[in-house]
Amino acid sequence: MPNNSPDPNELPPPASKPSLGGWYEKLGWFIVLWAVSVLALGAVAYLFRILMRAVGLSPA
C-alpha cells in the first residue's frame, strides 16, 4: 500500500527570485492603472460639467 501523506521532515521548495520580466510587468500594470484612473476622473469631471450646465450654472 503506497504512502501518499507528505513527509513531515521534507522542506518546502525554495522560493524563486522575481525575474526582470516581473519588474516590467509591474511597471506596465502601474501605467495601465494610472491611465485608467485619469480617464475615470476625466469622465466624472465631464459628467459634473454636463450636470452644472443642465441646471444653468454655465458661464455666460
Side-chain angles (χ1 to χ4, degrees), residues 19-41:
S19 66
L20 190 58
W23 187 82
Y24 286 121
E25 188 175 326
K26 288 177 185 176
L27 182 62
W29 274 110
F30 175 76
I31 291 171
V32 167
L33 290 176
W34 173 80
V36 169
S37 65
V38 168
L39 289 174
L41 182 62

Side-chain angles (χ1 to χ4, degrees), residues 2-18:
N3 185 4
N4 292 336
S5 64
D7 185 10
N9 295 327
E10 185 177 333
L11 295 175
S16 62
K17 290 184 177 181

